[in-house]
Amino acid sequence: MPKIESYSLFRLHFSKNFWSSVNRSLVPYKYPLTTPEQKEEFLMSLYELIKSDKYAQYSPRENLLWRKYNLANRIVPVFDYPELCVHYYLIRKLEPDIADEDRRVQGTFGGYRTDIGLKYAEAKEIETIKSGANLYYGPDLTYNPLGWFDHWGKFQNLAHNYSEDNFGYAINFDIADFYDSINVNILEDMLRIACSNADIVDWMCDFLHRWNPQKKQTDVGISQDEVGDASRILANFYLHGYDNALAAYCQKLGSRRLRFSDDHIIFAPSREVAHQIVEEAGRLLHRLGLRINGGKVEEFSNKSQFHLYWSFDLFNMVNEKNAEKKEFVERAVIDFLNYPNVPFRKISVIRRLLHCSIEKIRLDLRAGFFAKVLDEEVILSLSESDLYRLYKKSTSSQKVELITYLEELANQTTLNAYHYRLLKLFSRVRHISKVDLRKLIANEKIY
């Protein structure tokens, strides 16, 4: 273990927002830390273990099977308090070197720090954003919702603005199994070059190699855990050299590129140039042990196609100023119900509308929206907070129908993340389930 700072400095890293995030885990803790006294006692004990070199890393307390898109799933490890605290502490110490805004490549988003905005915002403001007043529909457990809101908003605005500027051709693509494919040895070399604190780098690299002790040694893949912020920052840092190279290549060809996490957009003057850039991106990614996800490449030959895919008009209709206004929400729902039969970001649109005042709109429109949401792929993609909003904004009869549908789906799917969501949802709405969710979870252990 490295030399560690004093306890008075160590404890300062763990803000109220940190505890708020980790304590909203889908998986109940065996011994939850809820009071200030419990948290202080735990941190002091953890600090002494680290200082005396007696801290031992444990396996995740659960692995969640999580729906990504279509039938693609991912396994999400759920850590206990010690591993959450250690991982968070390490990224807090490293992020000045690897997540500084000044070194971010232009057009690159998603690598925001865990603390930006938090020191300027009261906890109440953060909770207001998470509750939806600012149309926050990002990750449920992120330590920094303000950072997500800022980066995602800028990414969308630039995507819209670039598409308005002499649109030629555009391509969307992402990286296949991004987190699971990161080469930890390459990442370690990058960290040693970029970071000033060698002891912290040593500790982080040891954590990355051993985050799942059941596998003994992990050289490929980093833990995209339930909170995910530490892994998100490391993953974005991993692409820093790639971003520089691809940005320079795009500039040489009179083109532009945007990236949010592993989602890319290429804007080029022609189809040929766009394909050339994507091929170069593939070559650059190959050097990092990564590859483009061929199943999620979308091409756009005109601005109209691109705008429909990103639903810019619909999102703008229910922006922060209009989200509570009945006439704007109704127009947005009408557009959603009559959307052209083209690929578009359906789940994102549904999540956005769930943060609007859909309970105020005409009953026929509410019924149409409700029917669209009661779809297996949609329901399995929604978070517990999304499901809660859907329930609260439904009519009495729709609530009965929703609960029935959720329970029927629980018996059909083996996604334990969904079953944990229902446990939490049913607890919040005080519903006694007809399905033994705990038994289903017990039979779905993932090792």
Side-chain angles (χ1 to χ4, degrees):
M1 277 321 156
K3 295 178 181 178
I4 193 168
E5 60 198 351
S6 67
Y7 178 70
S8 60
L9 292 176
F10 174 78
R11 67 184 294 278
L12 289 178
H13 293 285
F14 304 97
S15 65
K16 289 181 180 179
N17 201 55
F18 167 81
W19 292 110
S20 173
S21 291
V22 299
N23 277 334
R24 290 199 309 276
S25 171
L26 279 179
V27 184
Y29 291 92
K30 188 174 183 179
Y31 303 108
L33 303 175
T34 55
T35 69
E37 293 77 18
Q38 289 173 331
K39 295 167 188 173
E40 188 70 25
E41 182 181 356
F42 166 78
L43 283 177
M44 192 170 291
S45 175
L46 177 63
Y47 177 82
E48 289 302 324
L49 286 173
I50 295 169
K51 188 177 179 181
S52 61
D53 203 17
K54 293 180 181 178
Y55 165 74
Q57 194 169 314
Y58 285 90
S59 298
R61 58 195 178 95
E62 179 65 287
N63 288 298
L64 298 176
L65 191 59
W66 206 287
R67 177 59 52 88
K68 288 173 63 178
Y69 59 89
N70 296 331
L71 293 176
N73 302 320
R74 74 166 177 258
I75 295 176
V76 176
V78 181
F79 292 123
D80 212 339
Y81 287 119
E83 285 64 49
L84 285 168
C85 288
V86 167
H87 205 193
Y88 180 72
Y89 173 73
L90 293 174
I91 205 66
R92 291 275 288 146
K93 300 296 287 184
L94 292 177
E95 63 184 358
D97 290 326
I98 68 174
D100 188 82
E101 280 289 304
D102 292 337
R103 72 189 301 274
R104 179 168 61 87
V105 179
Q106 186 177 3
T108 300
F109 301 95
Y112 55 90
R113 291 171 58 160
T114 60
D115 62 340
I116 289 180
L118 297 184
K119 58 187 175 184
Y120 305 114
E122 297 293 334
K124 186 176 180 181
E125 182 184 354
I126 293 167
E127 289 307 314
T128 299
I129 288 172
K130 285 182 176 176
S131 69
N134 282 315
L135 298 185
Y136 175 81
Y137 58 103
D140 269 6
L141 302 187
T142 181
Y143 300 127
N144 184 3
L146 291 172
W148 180 91
F149 194 78
D150 176 57
H151 273 228
W152 181 248
K154 289 177 178 175
F155 173 77
Q156 282 199 312
N157 287 338
L158 276 177
H160 178 269
N161 293 343
Y162 285 178
S163 71
E164 293 283 358
D165 186 14
N166 295 321
F167 189 96
Y169 203 85
I171 297 181
N172 289 357
F173 68 90
D174 72 9
I175 300 172
D177 301 319
F178 181 31
Y179 285 72
D180 291 335
S181 302
I182 290 174
N183 187 303
V184 179
N185 295 316
I186 294 175
L187 177 59
E188 180 175 346
D189 291 340
M190 293 176 174
L191 289 171
R192 296 196 184 284
I193 293 170
C195 301
S196 56
N197 192 326
D199 283 345
I200 293 294
V201 172
D202 286 343
W203 193 1
M204 174 61 89
C205 292
D206 187 65
F207 187 98
L208 294 174
H209 281 293
R210 304 178 189 279
W211 65 266
N212 189 350
Q214 290 176 340
K215 294 183 179 180
K216 295 184 179 179
Q217 184 80 2
T218 303
D219 291 328
V220 177
I222 63 174
S223 60
Q224 191 177 9
D225 61 282
E226 194 181 14
V227 178
D229 275 4
S231 300
R232 169 185 57 77
I233 291 172
L234 289 169
N236 271 274
F237 170 71
Y238 189 70
L239 294 179
H240 183 70
Y242 158 82
D243 288 328
N244 272 313
L246 190 61
Y249 191 79
C250 286
Q251 185 176 23
K252 185 174 69 172
L253 296 180
S255 304
R256 290 165 164 167
R257 37 77 67 188
L258 292 172
R259 178 176 71 79
F260 186 96
S261 187
D262 66 324
D263 291 321
H264 294 64
I265 310 176
I266 302 298
F267 296 94
S270 68
R271 178 178 183 272
E272 291 72 26
V273 173
H275 280 205
Q276 190 176 339
I277 292 170
V278 173
E279 289 167 4
E280 178 65 12
R283 283 190 286 269
L284 293 170
L285 289 171
H286 179 72
R287 297 174 188 174
L288 298 172
L290 305 174
R291 60 186 175 84
I292 291 172
N293 184 348
K296 289 188 68 180
V297 176
E298 298 282 351
E299 302 193 39
F300 310 95
S301 60
N302 59 66
K303 182 172 68 175
S304 176
Q305 290 177 344
F306 186 77
H307 281 212
L308 281 171
Y309 177 83
W310 284 95
S311 307
F312 288 132
D313 291 342
L314 197 154
F315 274 84
N316 187 55
M317 199 177 299
V318 285
N319 59 25
E320 192 170 352
K321 293 180 181 178
N322 300 331
E324 303 297 317
K325 297 177 181 178
K326 177 183 175 182
E327 62 271 26
F328 288 97
V329 180
E330 284 190 342
R331 283 169 53 193
V333 171
I334 290 171
D335 283 358
F336 171 65
L337 295 179
N338 295 286
Y339 218 77
N341 186 25
V342 296
F344 75 109
R345 297 175 67 86
K346 180 180 178 181
I347 303 299
S348 294
V349 170
I350 288 172
R351 297 193 71 206
R352 180 67 160 251
L353 290 173
L354 284 172
H355 285 73
C356 300
S357 297
I358 57 173
E359 71 277 8
K360 297 178 182 178
I361 66 176
R362 289 178 359 219
L363 286 176
D364 61 318
L365 295 179
R366 289 176 71 181
F369 177 77
F370 185 80
K372 286 278 190 180
V373 176
L374 242 59
D375 169 86
E376 178 178 340
E377 194 64 30
V378 173
I379 292 294
L380 291 177
S381 300
L382 296 180
S383 68
E384 184 275 330
S385 61
D386 293 327
L387 294 174
Y388 180 71
R389 285 189 183 87
L390 177 62
Y391 179 87
K392 296 297 286 186
K393 294 174 185 287
S394 298
T395 64
S396 297
S397 60
Q398 286 172 345
K399 286 176 180 176
V400 174
E401 186 180 354
L402 174 62
I403 292 294
T404 300
Y405 183 87
L406 295 177
E407 291 183 329
E408 288 175 352
L409 185 55
N411 280 320
Q412 297 169 14
T413 184
T414 58
L415 299 176
N416 63 345
Y418 175 71
H419 296 138
Y420 274 114
R421 285 187 197 125
L422 292 196
L423 275 177
K424 194 170 183 179
L425 173 68
F426 290 166
S427 174
R428 291 179 75 180
V429 303
R430 299 182 180 181
H431 169 71
I432 300 175
S433 178
K434 298 175 183 177
V435 178
D436 191 342
L437 295 169
R438 288 184 172 82
K439 183 177 180 180
L440 289 175
I441 289 169
N443 292 332
E444 295 163 344
K445 281 293 181 185
I446 301 168
Y447 299 100

